[in-house]
Amino acid sequence: EKNEQKKHQAEIQALQSQINPHFIVNTLNSIRFMAQVAQFEGIRKMAEALVTIVSCSFRSNDSFYTVREELDMLKTYEYLMQIRYSNSFEVDYQVDEDCLDYLLPRLILQPVMENAITHGVAELVDELGQIRISVSKEDDFLCLSVWDNGQGIEKEKILELERNQTQSSNDNRSIGLKNVLARLRLNFGPGVQFLIRSSTDSPDSFTHITFKLPLETLSKQKTKEENHD
């Protein structure tokens, strides 16, 4: 019961930052329609991609979707970021096919990819940014990881993240990782593991973040969802 209360409180906090979702989605759809009429194909595609992401973020708070859908959403987000950063990075997806049907809370990998872009590869000057998204099984865990060749994270910050200490409100990277980890543990229990490796030593700087989810809890959650449907 306490666990459910924590989940409810976390969702309330998330909702406090939202405004009328229907207004936003409908406005974006209007922009997409106007761009289509004016034959501005690039604007139409961007509006369409943003509608997809915003609609996902406004879905039912208890909704789960598959790893396959999470990756589709991630590629939509990547499309928008490629435009914003003038194709200054590449993304490689390494995904085991037998992992695609596991159910996850919505938007788990997106905040981690956002960090990899805005705090990592976007800072590169003379080198093409590289991001690798991996989903695989390891022993009794489903492993979700994001690697980038960006500027890396200082050792002190890594220690803070590993200890899950309270982060300052203006540290977007920490807030995003903490939010993802909290949601995973609320849904799948304390067996969820968080691993982070990084180096700031140029030219071999990198960051590698991994979440390991116990397969047993994922299977139970999947059965629960199927029974509910």
Side-chain angles (χ1 to χ4, degrees):
E1 183 178 353
K2 290 181 178 179
N3 194 46
E4 289 299 320
Q5 289 176 349
K6 289 181 180 179
K7 288 170 63 176
H8 181 65
Q9 291 171 355
E11 296 293 354
I12 289 177
Q13 291 176 354
L15 287 171
Q16 287 176 347
S17 64
Q18 295 177 355
I19 59 176
N20 191 324
H22 298 292
F23 170 77
I24 293 177
V25 172
N26 289 340
T27 301
L28 286 171
N29 276 321
S30 297
I31 294 173
R32 180 178 61 176
F33 175 74
M34 292 173 66
Q36 183 174 349
V37 171
Q39 297 184 345
F40 294 148
E41 189 64 12
I43 297 176
R44 184 195 67 78
K45 288 182 177 180
M46 288 183 65
E48 189 173 85
L50 190 54
V51 165
T52 300
I53 294 174
V54 171
S55 297
C56 173
S57 67
F58 287 137
R59 284 173 61 176
S60 170
N61 294 327
D62 295 327
S63 66
F64 280 64
Y65 59 16
T66 63
V67 171
R68 178 183 287 102
E69 292 172 303
E70 172 78 355
L71 293 173
D72 288 342
M73 181 63 57
L74 205 60
K75 291 174 182 176
T76 300
Y77 176 75
E78 176 201 340
Y79 168 76
L80 291 173
M81 292 300 99
Q82 291 284 14
I83 295 173
R84 176 179 177 182
Y85 291 101
S86 304
N87 295 311
S88 61
F89 63 90
E90 296 178 341
V91 182
D92 178 33
Y93 295 86
Q94 301 179 357
V95 182
D96 290 351
E97 290 291 324
D98 58 351
C99 296
L100 292 175
D101 292 327
Y102 283 106
L103 290 167
L104 298 173
R106 52 192 169 86
L107 300 177
I108 288 298
L109 289 173
Q110 183 273 330
V112 188
M113 176 186 264
E114 181 176 359
N115 285 341
I117 296 172
T118 59
H119 299 292
V121 298
E123 303 296 329
L124 298 176
V125 178
D126 300 321
E127 184 179 1
L128 181 66
Q130 301 286 342
I131 297 175
R132 183 170 64 246
I133 309 296
S134 301
V135 183
S136 62
K137 288 182 182 179
E138 181 181 312
D139 298 327
D140 296 324
F141 292 90
L142 176 70
C143 299
L144 311 171
S145 74
V146 179
W147 175 94
D148 71 78
N149 67 335
Q151 62 181 356
I153 305 175
E154 298 81 3
K155 292 181 179 179
E156 294 77 11
K157 179 60 65 176
I158 292 176
L159 291 175
E160 289 181 6
L161 291 170
E162 289 177 335
R163 292 169 185 161
N164 198 27
Q165 295 179 0
T166 302
Q167 310 297 337
S168 59
S169 60
N170 61 350
D171 189 344
N172 292 329
R173 175 189 297 188
S174 299
I175 291 172
L177 289 175
K178 184 179 178 182
N179 178 280
V180 170
L181 182 58
R183 286 191 289 138
L184 288 175
R185 285 180 172 163
L186 283 170
N187 283 287
F188 303 122
V192 172
Q193 299 180 23
F194 170 61
L195 308 172
I196 180 168
R197 296 172 54 241
S198 187
S199 172
T200 57
D201 297 333
S202 181
D204 300 318
S205 59
F206 74 95
T207 299
H208 189 189
I209 292 174
T210 301
F211 296 96
K212 300 178 70 173
L213 318 181
L215 287 173
E216 181 180 5
T217 59
L218 288 176
S219 299
K220 290 179 180 178
Q221 183 65 57
K222 184 175 181 180
T223 302
K224 178 182 176 182
E225 288 286 319
E226 288 173 346
N227 290 340
H228 178 73
D229 293 340

